[in-house]
Amino acid sequence: EDWPHSETLEKVDCSGCHSEAFEQWQQGVHGLPARKKGDLDAASCADCHGSHYIMAVREIGSQVYPFALPYTCLNCHGDSSMEQKHKGMGQAKKAKLYLNSVHAQALEKNGLIVSAICSSCHGSHKILPLSEFHTRIPEICGGCHTEIYRDYLEGVHGKAYLQANPDVPICTDCHGEHDIKSPGDPESSVNPRQVSRLCSRCHEDTTLSRKYGLPLGRLASYRSSFHGIALNLGDVSVANCASCHDYHNVRPSSDPESTIHPDNLVKTCGKCHPNARENFARGKIHLLGKPEENIGAWLVKKAYLVLITALIGGFIAYIFLDLAAHHRRRQSTEFTQKKNRLGL
């Protein structure tokens, strides 16, 4: 009889005061399952904001304060049993990857509360399903990365995105989703070691090549070049795809603003080669070693290979001949010494 509420109370109706937030919640993925299917696991007001000890969002002790919100969301989205029960809520393992991302590290280690958290991308109350959310990713990322978003929209990828092209790469295709890492991190998908492999996922795809007329063989030609060989040997300072084509503002070579337009190649090459002039940037790029690409270069390469093969082959033959002669001389000496011992 000491309890303040001896009777069973009705469930609290937050919409009485927070009607706008409640309406948004009902329109999102958490509200619809609860309203239509009677799904008691769907997050409600108390699951995120708490029951009695509710604090304002801006208060550091709040369950939805930037430092705490990722862990509040992971109470459900990091639970593997919930994942198995609700197939549409995503993978718990992937959600947990956020804690090791560049955004989470900036939040926890550097105290940057402006760093992206769950609600920054997915929203607060009206959380949409991934099918509706995916097409808005560049716009969402552009909320913080304004200049990058502008560059992206001006490039060939961004223009295709504005035309609702489903094949065009967006932010998450290159940077990842929850486990976004700094480009300097060796595990990042946009680390210099990974960029050529990343770009080739689309540019070496035969289906996309036929559909959009993309030239194939770019990865193979890069890997056989000086830059590709040096990168494979561990030199991350050499040029990769983004060094020449740019990172976000990627344009075709016919565009006067493109970094690979003939008028801009000297400047592009000059970023790494300060003494580059017009003749330096005049050579053909992405060669596969075919004579029709550059007959002069092909002949020089073949002649060089013949010369090197003949030179190394001659050295090897000389070594074997010298060893054979040394063996014969030693046998002759031993035979002479044996004859002398026998008095013959």
Side-chain angles (χ1 to χ4, degrees):
E1 63 272 8
D2 293 334
W3 289 103
H5 307 296
S6 58
E7 72 279 10
T8 301
L9 299 179
E10 293 183 5
K11 189 175 181 179
V12 175
D13 184 7
C14 300
S15 64
C17 296
H18 306 281
S19 57
E20 183 179 352
F22 185 75
E23 181 64 27
Q24 291 177 351
W25 174 80
Q26 283 192 316
Q27 295 174 8
V29 293
H30 292 141
L32 286 176
R35 185 175 58 175
K36 292 184 176 180
K37 301 179 182 178
D39 188 349
L40 299 180
D41 289 332
S44 63
C45 310
D47 292 319
C48 300
H49 294 277
S51 300
H52 293 94
Y53 193 60
I54 299 174
M55 303 183 70
V57 176
R58 63 181 178 276
E59 295 290 337
I60 196 169
S62 169
Q63 292 183 191
V64 291
Y65 191 74
F67 290 141
L69 183 63
Y71 296 96
T72 299
C73 295
L74 285 174
N75 285 333
C76 293
H77 290 274
D79 188 337
S80 56
S81 62
M82 290 281 283
E83 173 194 342
Q84 295 174 0
K85 187 176 179 181
H86 305 278
K87 300 299 182 182
M89 69 179 294
Q91 298 181 12
K93 184 178 179 180
K94 287 188 176 181
K96 289 179 180 178
L97 292 175
Y98 169 82
L99 298 178
N100 294 320
S101 71
V102 66
H103 292 137
Q105 295 302 310
L107 180 68
E108 295 190 349
K109 291 186 177 180
N110 301 323
L112 297 177
I113 61 172
V114 295
S115 182
I117 54 176
C118 312
S119 59
S120 304
C121 302
H122 294 277
S124 300
H125 298 102
K126 187 180 178 180
I127 299 176
L128 299 174
L130 293 179
S131 57
E132 298 180 39
F133 169 77
H134 185 265
T135 55
R136 297 179 53 242
I137 286 178
E139 178 187 350
I140 292 170
C141 296
C144 294
H145 304 282
T146 310
E147 292 187 8
I148 291 175
Y149 181 52
R150 181 199 61 200
D151 289 344
Y152 172 79
L153 292 181
E154 291 177 353
V156 64
H157 294 145
K159 289 178 180 178
Y161 162 74
L162 291 175
Q163 296 174 358
N165 187 321
D167 296 325
V168 68
I170 57 177
C171 314
T172 51
D173 292 317
C174 299
H175 294 275
E177 296 174 349
H178 295 98
D179 58 335
I180 298 173
K181 299 185 183 297
S182 167
D185 190 323
E187 295 183 3
S188 170
S189 55
V190 293
N191 182 268
R193 287 181 178 273
Q194 310 295 338
V195 168
S196 59
R197 187 181 298 110
L198 174 69
C199 296
S200 67
R201 291 192 312 195
C202 292
H203 288 271
E204 292 295 311
D205 186 293
T206 53
T207 302
L208 292 176
S209 174
R210 287 193 297 267
K211 188 174 181 179
Y212 299 104
L214 301 174
L216 293 173
R218 290 301 190 245
L219 180 61
S221 63
Y222 172 76
R223 286 179 172 174
S224 64
S225 70
F226 169 81
H227 293 142
I229 294 172
L231 180 67
N232 190 49
L233 293 174
D235 186 354
V236 296
S237 65
V238 296
N240 55 53
C241 310
S243 306
C244 302
H245 296 273
D246 207 338
Y247 296 87
H248 301 99
N249 193 357
V250 181
R251 297 170 181 257
S253 58
S254 57
D255 189 328
E257 299 295 323
S258 171
T259 53
I260 57 171
H261 186 274
D263 294 342
N264 300 325
L265 275 177
V266 173
K267 180 180 178 180
T268 299
C269 296
K271 291 187 297 184
C272 297
H273 306 278
N275 296 322
R277 297 294 181 267
E278 291 185 4
N279 288 335
F280 182 89
R282 189 174 293 174
K284 293 183 178 181
I285 312 296
H286 288 298
L287 296 177
L288 292 171
K290 298 179 180 180
E292 59 268 22
E293 293 175 333
N294 189 326
I295 186 63
W298 183 82
L299 288 173
V300 169
K301 181 180 179 180
K302 290 297 181 182
Y304 182 77
L305 291 175
V306 170
L307 175 63
I308 292 297
T309 302
L311 189 60
I312 295 177
F315 284 150
I316 294 173
Y318 174 80
I319 291 171
F320 276 106
L321 290 173
D322 184 59
L323 289 173
H326 179 74
H327 180 68
R328 286 196 302 271
R329 286 195 299 270
R330 190 172 69 175
Q331 283 186 325
S332 176
T333 301
E334 291 176 350
F335 180 72
T336 301
Q337 292 174 349
K338 186 175 181 181
K339 284 175 59 178
N340 292 336
R341 285 197 302 270
L342 297 174
L344 298 176

